[in-house]
């Protein structure tokens, strides 16, 4: 039985738990687990049913199983393929049947276990070509006691938690077991009548069953309750935000047909129906005395910038200024060229300026003076826009591109640059299904650009078998010979001891030395200090092949890039793979997206093949949501929502029901003051989003 320190509370730091070592504290923090409460609310995303220990002779190929026995042989090895470090062992049970065991990238297991040790293993059974069974990377536990001693920490029903490097589900489960007695102190933030109407478990019971269920059904009920509560809290937060914004005045920007006529005439291309619809929705919002708060949600290349430019032109006609903030200098400069092309010829008095950190002090001073005096109509820039010495004479519109890359506080600092409250337009190139948009951006109105401009060349997408890799390299070489460029995406920056996949740093060196020694290669990942320089070289055509991590997922436009080769494609979500694919096919030439899987299993290939058939980002995002019920860390965290909330979103009507429940509570308690536990949960959630 676990005996807890009597001074330990739900708000105690997780480091106060006896089994949390300093290195564990940092790793848990990377998962957003800072307090005991955070830990208890971090439910497993799935379970593995290994069952009770079986005899080796009773094992079946492909099944999950628990086995106990004695180590007959064990030794560290280095494989001929890729030089992987591993541990190989043979386990023998009471019937003298033998089981082969291998731990990839875990040579230290050979120093933990020795010949003659009694151990328990829990893992997936594989039949070998030699008529024996094998387990790869199984959980293991050394058994103390007699022949009848069984495992205490592995086998049976084992939880799968979201992890970071250095943490295991086994470790998280052990820490959770220490904290679980405190679950009874969790107070329910959901109003009792709401819980009863939707037949939901009390919070304390949901947490206990979520971490220690006896059946899958108990775990499912716990997840349903937690997902409902999270979405309820989010919708309550959004309701307060909407009420707050409705109380803030904004200067109305009235619609002008002459402005739109001049804008369309200067574009040089026809607007799509979706673009025209999104513009009209924004113009209607801007004409009101309350500030617009709209999300423009569209696929890569769908023409969101043209919509934002039309809004800037309308703002200029009303005698006010606009500002556009992008996450990187390269993207900001890209926007500068587009906004100037869309606006300056059609509107001679509309001046577009740039403000980024790399400009000279004199140039930044000149742009700041132009913005403060009202001489420029639109300033495009990066975080430099939210520095204290940046002011606008009359800011009427604030636009944020790739808005998920900025925290709430940064967006608020941008909005505060005007003397009044500006209208606000957020843009994202990640297509978001409507139910998810309502859940995550419930304080905003959503416009969807769900069609691409005519004339875009579809990207040829192919799943490449591991033994067909050379053909992929030949395609890269052929395209480079034609003067084109290529991306090679890797899931990791560096090699991991836990994950067998290609890392960007190792793959860059291998490609540079062994595969493309005659080509100009460059490397880019999130830890690089000179990311902007590396990307600038690629945009300028100085680099022929760019090896990178997911840092290139959004934004940068390189029309000359025609090949996107993705290593470990099975480790990314479908929506993210679609984002990578959107980096090519931006010019007139035929482009290619090559998907290479680390795990070429039937399930992985079936999922990847969806990309070869579906080109619509919204449809792929919906497929991603449906498939992600498996709980893999492929995307739920990208959306800033737990797996429980993502699972709840599989029911399209649920968001509307939850919004109705929130409004029912607000009818008699507009600020949730009579529901203190709910209000405390809302405050915690607001604090989380304000520092995101």
């Amino acid at each position: 039985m676990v005996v807890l320190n009597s001074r330990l509370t739900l708000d105690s730091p997780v480091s106060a738990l006896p089994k949390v070592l300093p290195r564990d504290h940092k790793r848990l923090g990377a998962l957003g687990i800072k307090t005991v409460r955070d830990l208890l609310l971090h439910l497993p995303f799935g379970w593995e049913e290994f069952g009770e220990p079986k005899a080796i002779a009773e094992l079946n190929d492909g099944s999950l199983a628990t086995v106990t026995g004695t180590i007959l042989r064990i030794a560290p090895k280095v494989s001929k393929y890729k030089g992987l470090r591993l541990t190989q062992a043979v386990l023998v049970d009471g019937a003298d049947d033998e089981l082969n065991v291998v731990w990839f990238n875990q040579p230290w297991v050979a120093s933990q276990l020795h010949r003659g040790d009694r151990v328990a293993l829990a893992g997936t059974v594989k039949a070998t070509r030699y008529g024996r069974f094998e387990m790869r990377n199984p959980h293991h536990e050394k058994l103390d006691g007699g022949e009848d001693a069984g495992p205490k920490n592995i086998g049976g029903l084992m939880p799968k938690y979201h992890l970071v490097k250095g943490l295991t589900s086994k470790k998280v489960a052990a820490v959770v077991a220490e904290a679980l007695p405190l679950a009874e102190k969790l107070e329910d933030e959901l109003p009792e009548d709401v819980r009863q109407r939707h037949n939901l478990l009390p919070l304390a019971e949901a947490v206990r069953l979520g971490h220690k269920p006896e059946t899958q059904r108990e775990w499912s009920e716990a997840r349903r309750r937690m997902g409902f509560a999270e979405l309820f809290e989010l919708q309550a937060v959004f309701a307060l935000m909407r009420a707050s914004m409705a109380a803030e005045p904004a200067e109305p920007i009235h619609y002008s047909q002459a402005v739109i006529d001049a804008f369309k005439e200067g574009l040089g291309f026809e607007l799509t129906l979706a673009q025209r619809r999104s513009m009209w929705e924004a113009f209607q919002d801007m004409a009101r005395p309350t500030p617009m708060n709209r999300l423009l949600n569209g696929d890569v290349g769908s023409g969101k910038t043209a919509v934002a430019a039309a809004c800037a032109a309308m703002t200029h006609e009303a005698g006010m200024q606009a500002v556009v903030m992008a996450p990187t200098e390269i993207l900001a400069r890209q926007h500068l060229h587009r906004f100037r092309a869309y606006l300056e010829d059609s509107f001679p008095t509309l001046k577009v300026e740039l403000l980024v950190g790399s400009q000279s002090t004199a140039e930044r001073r000149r742009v700041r003076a132009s913005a403060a005096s009202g001489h420029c109509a639109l300033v495009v820039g990066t975080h430099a826009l939210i520095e204290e010495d940046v002011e606008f004479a009359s800011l009427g519109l604030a636009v944020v591109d790739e808005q998920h890359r900025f925290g709430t506080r940064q967006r608020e600092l941008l909005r505060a640059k005007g003397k009044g409250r500006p209208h606000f337009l957020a843009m994202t190139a990640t297509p978001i299904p409507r139910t998810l948009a309502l859940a995550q951006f419930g304080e905003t109105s959503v416009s969807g650009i769900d069609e691409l401009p005519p004339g875009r060349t579809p990207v040829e997408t192919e799943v490449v078998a591991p033994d067909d890799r050379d053909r992929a390299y030949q395609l890269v070489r052929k395209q480079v010979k034609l003067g084109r460029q290529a991306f090679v995406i890797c899931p990791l920056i560096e090699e991991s001891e836990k994950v067998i996949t290609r890392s960007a740093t190792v793959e860059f060196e291998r490609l540079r030395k062994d595969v493309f020694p005659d080509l100009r290669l460059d490397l880019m990942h999130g830890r690089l200090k000179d990311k902007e320089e590396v990307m600038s070289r690629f945009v300028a055509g100085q680099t022929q092949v760019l090896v990178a991590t997911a840092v290139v997922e959004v934004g940068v436009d390189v029309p000359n890039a025609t090949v996107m080769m993705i290593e470990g494609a099975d480790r990314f979500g479908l929506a993210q793979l679609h984002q990578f694919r959107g980096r090519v096919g931006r010019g007139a030439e035929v482009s290619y997206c090559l998907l290479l899987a680390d795990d070429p299993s039937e399930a992985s290939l079936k999922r990847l093949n969806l990309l070869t058939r579906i080109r619509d980002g919204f449809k792929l995002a919906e497929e991603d949501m449906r498939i992600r019920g498996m709980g893999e860390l492929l995307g739920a965290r990208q959306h800033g929502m737990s797996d429980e909330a993502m699972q709840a979103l599989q029911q399209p009507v649920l968001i509307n029901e939850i919004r109705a429940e929130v409004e029912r509570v607000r009818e008699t308690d507009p600020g949730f003051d009579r529901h203190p536990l709910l209000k405390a949960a809302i405050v915690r959630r607001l604090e989380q989003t304000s520092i995101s």
Side-chain angles (χ1 to χ4, degrees):
M1 181 176 170
V2 177
V3 179
L4 284 175
N5 181 331
S6 60
R7 287 176 294 186
L8 206 63
T9 71
L10 293 169
D11 295 315
S12 296
V14 74
S15 57
L17 291 166
K19 287 190 178 177
V20 177
L21 303 175
R23 63 175 180 268
D24 299 325
H25 180 220
K26 186 175 180 182
R27 290 162 180 164
L28 290 167
L31 289 169
I33 299 172
K34 294 182 171 59
T35 65
V36 173
R37 184 194 306 275
D38 295 335
L39 178 68
L40 291 173
L41 298 179
H42 181 75
L43 296 193
F45 66 75
W47 292 82
E48 293 177 298
E49 293 193 61
F50 294 102
E52 295 302 308
K54 277 185 175 181
I56 292 172
E58 296 174 0
L59 299 178
N60 296 306
D61 183 32
S63 65
L64 298 178
T66 308
V67 177
T68 60
T70 303
I71 298 286
L72 190 63
R73 293 188 297 276
I74 187 165
K77 294 276 180 73
V78 177
S79 73
K80 292 179 182 177
Y81 174 67
K82 288 175 62 179
L84 286 175
R85 296 176 300 159
L86 46 88
T87 297
Q88 285 184 326
V90 175
L91 184 84
V92 62
D93 67 6
D96 288 335
D97 290 312
E98 294 183 0
L99 174 72
N100 293 339
V101 189
V102 60
W103 286 275
F104 291 103
N105 275 326
Q106 298 178 53
W108 61 86
V109 175
S111 63
Q112 294 177 345
L113 303 177
H114 305 92
R115 176 183 166 85
D117 285 347
R118 271 186 50 75
V119 299
L121 303 175
T124 303
V125 179
K126 297 275 188 186
T128 69
R129 287 180 293 176
Y130 310 107
R132 295 175 67 167
F133 288 117
E134 179 180 81
M135 278 189 179
R136 299 177 180 180
N137 291 335
H139 303 282
H140 67 276
E141 180 181 334
K142 202 168 176 178
L143 300 179
D144 298 317
E147 287 290 315
D148 296 330
K152 296 176 182 176
N153 300 313
I154 69 168
L157 199 62
M158 288 186 69
K160 295 193 291 184
Y161 289 95
H162 285 307
L163 303 170
V164 292
K165 185 178 177 181
L167 269 185
T168 63
S169 284
K170 187 175 164 186
K171 174 68 180 180
V172 176
V175 174
V176 167
E178 286 187 312
L180 212 50
L182 278 171
E184 65 185 28
K185 296 183 181 294
L186 287 165
E187 296 179 288
D188 218 316
E189 81 280 27
L190 282 178
E192 176 70 20
D193 59 331
V194 173
R195 270 203 305 109
Q196 288 182 355
R197 268 195 297 276
H198 293 271
N199 195 24
L200 299 168
L201 293 170
L203 178 57
E205 188 179 351
V207 167
R208 280 196 300 270
L209 293 180
H211 289 291
K212 292 276 186 182
E214 291 187 6
T215 65
Q216 289 276 4
R217 179 174 175 78
E218 286 183 345
W219 175 67
S220 295
E221 279 300 302
R223 271 170 66 92
R224 186 173 76 87
R225 189 263 180 237
M226 301 301 280
F228 186 101
E230 181 175 339
L231 294 175
F232 189 93
E233 288 174 24
L234 278 170
Q235 294 305 317
V237 167
F238 296 153
L240 291 182
M241 285 182 172
R242 287 193 299 269
S244 170
M245 284 185 285
E248 294 180 271
E251 191 69 35
I253 296 173
H254 297 294
Y255 177 77
S256 164
Q257 185 62 45
V259 167
I260 286 303
D261 290 342
F263 176 75
K264 288 195 290 191
E265 191 175 336
L267 276 182
F269 58 83
E270 282 289 318
L271 293 167
T272 65
L273 181 63
Q275 283 175 309
R276 294 200 299 270
R277 182 181 65 237
S278 298
M279 283 178 189
W280 180 239
E281 288 168 348
F283 294 153
Q284 287 179 303
D285 284 357
M286 291 162 66
R288 298 186 180 110
T290 52
M292 171 174 75
N293 194 33
R294 185 165 287 278
L295 173 71
L296 185 56
N297 174 21
D299 212 339
V300 174
S302 60
K304 296 179 295 297
T305 310
V307 175
C311 292
M314 202 66 74
T315 303
H316 174 62
E317 174 67 14
M320 287 180 281
Q321 296 163 290
V323 62
V324 177
M325 185 164 70
T328 67
E329 282 200 17
I330 292 172
L331 197 50
R333 290 181 186 278
Q334 191 171 290
H335 279 319
L336 174 73
H337 297 314
R338 285 194 181 154
F339 278 101
R340 280 181 170 168
Y342 292 159
L343 297 171
E344 287 191 340
D345 286 345
S346 300
F347 305 95
T349 61
L350 200 164
K351 179 72 174 168
V352 184
E353 294 280 13
L354 176 73
L355 189 64
V356 294
S358 66
Q359 289 170 314
S360 67
T361 303
E363 177 65 2
R364 286 203 306 276
R365 190 185 301 120
R366 184 191 68 77
V367 175
R368 287 198 304 268
S370 182
S373 65
H375 281 94
C376 67
L378 169 61
V379 182
V380 178
T382 56
H383 294 77
L385 290 165
I386 55 178
E387 292 173 1
E388 282 186 23
D389 53 3
V390 178
E391 293 179 359
F392 289 84
S394 177
L395 187 60
L397 173 69
V399 180
V400 170
D401 190 22
E402 294 307 331
Q403 71 106 32
H404 62 281
R405 302 270 289 274
F406 296 102
T408 304
R409 187 172 297 156
Q410 292 166 317
R411 297 195 292 268
E412 282 304 307
L413 285 170
L414 184 66
R415 282 169 157 162
K417 288 298 176 185
K419 292 183 171 61
R421 188 76 169 177
H423 296 282
F424 183 74
L425 180 68
M427 302 193 293
T428 178
T430 304
I432 304 168
R434 180 167 172 74
T435 50
L436 184 53
L438 284 171
Q440 194 187 8
F441 304 105
E443 86 282 16
T444 72
S445 304
V446 179
S447 290
I449 304 185
D450 50 7
E451 60 179 314
L452 292 178
R456 283 193 56 129
T457 308
V459 178
E460 299 290 334
T461 306
E462 182 183 353
V463 179
V464 179
D467 56 1
D468 219 3
R469 185 180 302 277
D470 284 345
R471 188 168 60 81
Y473 293 150
Q474 287 169 14
L475 177 62
V476 171
R477 188 174 287 284
K478 180 181 176 182
Q479 288 294 301
V480 169
K481 193 174 180 181
L482 291 170
R484 318 281 177 236
Q485 293 163 278
F487 291 94
V488 177
I489 305 297
C490 298
L492 303 175
I493 296 175
E494 296 164 351
E495 278 194 314
S496 163
E497 292 177 334
K498 297 285 184 184
V499 182
I500 303 171
T501 189
R502 290 173 187 260
S503 72
T505 50
V506 172
E507 189 67 358
F508 170 70
E509 290 300 330
R510 192 184 72 82
L511 291 174
R512 190 170 62 87
K513 291 176 182 175
D514 303 334
V515 182
F516 303 124
D518 54 328
L519 302 185
R520 297 188 302 277
L521 275 66
D522 223 333
L523 172 67
M524 190 167 84
H525 55 72
R527 290 189 207 152
L528 275 186
K529 291 181 179 176
D530 60 344
K531 289 193 291 290
E532 296 276 347
E533 290 177 35
V534 172
M535 204 66 217
S536 294
R537 287 197 293 270
F538 191 61
V539 171
Q542 296 166 13
T543 304
Q544 293 169 313
V545 179
L546 181 66
V547 182
T549 57
V551 74
V552 301
E553 181 185 341
V554 291
V556 181
D557 190 356
V558 187
N560 194 47
T562 56
V563 183
M564 172 61 68
M565 182 175 169
I566 305 171
E567 295 282 2
D570 50 311
R571 298 185 179 277
F572 296 106
L574 293 175
Q576 195 174 15
L577 290 169
H578 180 66
Q579 290 293 301
F580 292 140
R581 176 166 64 180
R583 295 300 100 222
V584 296
R586 302 177 76 83
E589 305 301 326
V590 175
S591 293
Y592 305 88
C593 179
L594 308 175
L595 307 171
L596 293 96
D598 284 334
D599 169 26
S601 65
E602 186 179 345
S604 287
L605 295 177
K606 184 179 178 182
R607 188 172 69 87
L608 291 177
N609 273 310
L610 288 170
L611 282 147
T612 67
R613 301 195 306 272
I614 301 174
R615 302 187 191 278
D616 185 317
F618 286 91
K619 287 180 182 174
L620 278 170
E622 285 169 357
E623 284 294 322
D624 227 1
M625 268 185 66
R626 184 181 62 77
I627 292 169
R628 209 182 293 146
M630 302 283 289
E632 295 299 322
L633 197 73
L634 292 173
R637 304 289 163 183
Q638 292 172 354
H639 294 296
M641 297 170 66
S642 72
D643 292 307
E644 292 77 45
M646 293 293 290
Q647 184 71 28
L649 287 173
Q650 306 303 312
Q651 308 165 58
V653 298
L654 187 60
I655 289 295
N656 290 332
E657 288 180 7
I658 290 174
R659 291 181 93 165
E661 288 287 6
V662 168
E663 290 308 317
R664 186 181 282 130
V665 174
R666 291 190 69 240
E667 282 175 10
T668 55
D669 187 14
F672 303 108
D673 298 308
R674 287 161 46 195
H675 294 79
L677 295 174
L678 175 59
K679 184 139 191 177
I682 291 170
V683 168
R684 280 196 299 273
R685 196 162 288 281
L686 275 168
E687 287 172 350
Q688 288 170 2
T689 57
S690 68
I691 58 174
S692 63

